[in-house]
Amino acid sequence: MPSATSPATPRTPLLERIESPADLRKLAPAELKPLADELRSFLIDSVSRTGGHLSSNLGTVELTIALHYVFNTPEDRIVWDVGHQTYAHKILTGRREAMAGLRQYHGISGFPRRCESPYDTFGTAHSSTSISAALGMAEAARLRGEDRRAIAVIGDGAMSAGMAFEALNNAGDIHDTNLLVILNDNEMSISPPVGALNKHLSRLLSGRIYNGARKIGKRFLENLPPPVFELAKRTEEHVKGMMMPGTLFEEFGFNYIGPIDGHDLDAILPTLQNLRTLKGPQFLHVITRKGQGYKLAEADPILYHGVSKFDHAAGIATGKDAKGGGKLTYTQVFGDWLCDMAAQDERLVAITPAMREGSGMVRFAREFPSRFYDVGIAEQHALTFGAGLACEGFRPVVAIYSTFLQRAYDQFIHDVALQNLPVMMAIDRAGLVGADGATHHGAFDLSYLACIPNLTLFCPADEDECRQMLYTAYHHNGPTAVRYPRGSGLGIAPQAAMHTLPIGKGEIRREGRRTALLAFGSLLAPALQVGDALDATVANMRFVKPIDRNLILDLAARHELLVTLEENAVIGGAGSEVARVLAEAGVPVRLIQMGLPDRFVDHGDQTQLMAEVGLDAAAICARIAQVYPQNS
């Protein structure tokens, strides 16, 4: 966190005059560059105090200013893809002071939320949804006869997902919709460096003179014989394609403009002003730099992508200077296991949908580059790609966040489970994830996975059990999923030696009386606390599918009350499986099912959230006392 010697909060006199985009539009154009400097300084200082996404937000400062300056927001709709780059947008739309509570309990979200502001026109946090949503908004305006614009701002990474191209394909087929797609290219992965020629061409190609001449020429050529018209059309496309990388988007039916420097307001403003007057689908390609204006983030945009509190003068401590927490995270446990397993078995291949760092695969990518596949933000493809590898005798391990696995549900059922292929899912961020909030909580995977035939579903309760379950899942001849939470475990060091666990078998961790707690995965720790407080039996269930039927019936025969505990939606989760077993056996034991409530849980510290949803030890004890007071 910031030290006592950290620089004081920067002075931002221009920024402090802005409470809404209407105030921004009162500024003279010459004041926008100083405003961008103030806004960037404010962002660095603010995010260093709260934590959050930094590099991506520093890269969109000028673009954000230009959009709100040129367009009549919120009447004109802006949809930010993913939304982790919207801090400048939040600040300019009346939430400057609220940034002190960014991503904190009862504070503002790190992503756009419709309930938070009318300027957040669409809630986003998963990628590649912006073009579809903005197209819907543009069509709504056309159907109502309203003269307003819809703008989708999408990063080059999000453009790797199929949904973005599905939307482009649809938009190009609706020729008279007023949709502007802005590609925020911040990795230089598509275009050559930006220069004066590109800036000049962008102004020219977005201007009325060029587009008017283009339309007149098209009408003239349409009267010529078809072969001549087709030749002229192809000639224009090829000449334009030689000068800029927009032929692909032109083929989708968009008028492509760019690339332009996304940090040059003198280029962005007139281009957007021209585009605002044009009809039909428009595509603007801007080049930005992650971490722009903060040298440490420019040098290492990945390190500064998502940050905890830090001293922005000194920068984030790394290597020997970094403070270790002592406990391994589950992500680290997975990353170490992956490398150890790959060293033993050459059939292992690892797949990630653009989450190499987040899923703990950096070391594997370095040590086994020929067996590492980052497929981009393409969860559906990741699953079916793995299925294809499995068909040919490889053992694919797909590392994916619980919240992103939702996007590949059909592929898991149809392409993996139906064919009973040995594809292993390493599901990170299961349960409540903290500051990223409702869009990223892994709240549903037990519910939507337990119903899939052929699947074996593991729930490790500590670090060593996670390592052994990963080993067991890998060697199982069928689809498997190991789900583990965000953050560190209980401090139980994983054993170097690996062994298989008996599939579908839980274990008793504490013997008690009257009440038995059936804990799944991460909730074993609070269950043991409750067991000590109430002298209750505690079972580590380990598996949701196949569930340990014999253990459930044994506990039911010896106890008056069973309590299931899971960090998953209580509806359709592990507790429902326990209830099904009891019902099928005709056992009339009292049962309490405890899990995540039937609502979307907001963002905040994980400890605070667990207390809020009633899954910490104190809340579990209170619930048992309420339902079964004779055990309290």
Side-chain angles (χ1 to χ4, degrees), residues 293-537:
Y294 181 42
K295 293 189 180 300
L296 294 172
E298 288 179 5
D300 194 344
I302 294 176
L303 177 64
Y304 286 86
H305 171 72
V307 300
S308 301
K309 298 177 183 180
F310 73 104
D311 184 332
H312 65 76
I316 298 173
T318 58
K320 295 181 180 180
D321 297 327
K323 295 180 180 179
K327 299 178 182 179
L328 285 174
T329 66
Y330 283 97
T331 302
Q332 290 171 320
V333 171
F334 166 72
D336 291 341
W337 169 84
L338 188 66
C339 291
D340 293 344
M341 194 69 247
Q344 293 185 17
D345 190 344
E346 293 184 353
R347 298 175 302 163
L348 187 151
V349 290
I351 302 167
T352 176
M355 295 302 294
R356 182 188 67 170
E357 288 78 19
S359 292
M361 305 174 80
V362 173
R363 179 184 155 206
F364 181 91
R366 182 176 63 249
E367 295 183 6
F368 302 94
S370 65
R371 290 191 269 162
F372 173 71
Y373 300 93
D374 184 341
V375 300
I377 304 176
E379 295 87 357
Q380 294 171 301
H381 166 64
L383 266 291
T384 306
F385 175 56
L389 283 162
C391 285
E392 300 301 323
F394 285 89
R395 303 295 294 221
V397 177
V398 182
I400 191 167
Y401 287 10
S402 172
T403 187
F404 299 141
L405 179 56
Q406 296 163 187
R407 313 187 87 185
Y409 190 51
D410 179 64
Q411 284 68 31
F412 199 6
I413 294 174
H414 182 270
D415 300 337
V416 176
L418 182 63
Q419 304 182 90
N420 201 28
L421 294 171
V423 176
M424 174 182 162
M425 305 297 304
I427 305 175
D428 203 338
R429 271 59 166 185
L432 300 178
V433 299
D436 281 337
T439 57
H440 283 62
H441 291 321
F444 311 110
D445 54 83
L446 292 184
S447 299
Y448 68 69
L449 292 175
C451 61
I452 301 176
N454 293 334
L455 174 66
T456 301
L457 182 52
F458 301 70
C459 292
D462 61 49
E463 300 94 318
D464 182 59
E465 193 167 80
C466 183
R467 180 175 172 87
Q468 307 311 330
M469 284 189 174
L470 290 166
Y471 182 81
T472 304
Y474 179 79
H475 285 92
H476 182 67
N477 191 29
T480 55
V482 182
R483 58 106 67 176
Y484 44 89
R486 178 185 182 274
S488 59
L490 304 180
I492 298 175
Q495 300 176 38
M498 295 183 285
H499 59 273
T500 58
L501 299 174
I503 288 178
K505 298 297 181 182
E507 61 174 0
I508 300 293
R509 294 290 293 269
R510 186 191 189 281
E511 284 285 3
R513 60 191 185 89
R514 289 189 175 178
T515 297
L517 306 173
L518 288 70
F520 293 85
S522 60
L523 289 191
L524 178 63
L528 289 170
Q529 296 176 39
V530 174
D532 290 340
L534 302 182
D535 190 22
T537 297

Side-chain angles (χ1 to χ4, degrees), residues 39-49 54 58 291-295 310 312-313:
L39 183 50
R40 188 166 273 112
S41 296
F42 181 91
L43 275 171
I44 295 169
D45 179 72
S46 178
V47 176
S48 72
R49 297 174 187 273
L54 185 58
L58 294 176
Q292 174 74 13
Y294 181 42
K295 293 189 180 300
F310 73 104
H312 65 76

Side-chain angles (χ1 to χ4, degrees), residues 226-248:
V228 179
F229 171 71
E230 189 62 30
L231 175 62
K233 181 181 177 182
R234 292 185 180 217
T235 300
E236 181 206 21
E237 290 174 351
H238 285 298
V239 170
K240 194 173 179 181
M242 287 189 293
M243 295 187 290
M244 59 194 63
T247 305
L248 170 65

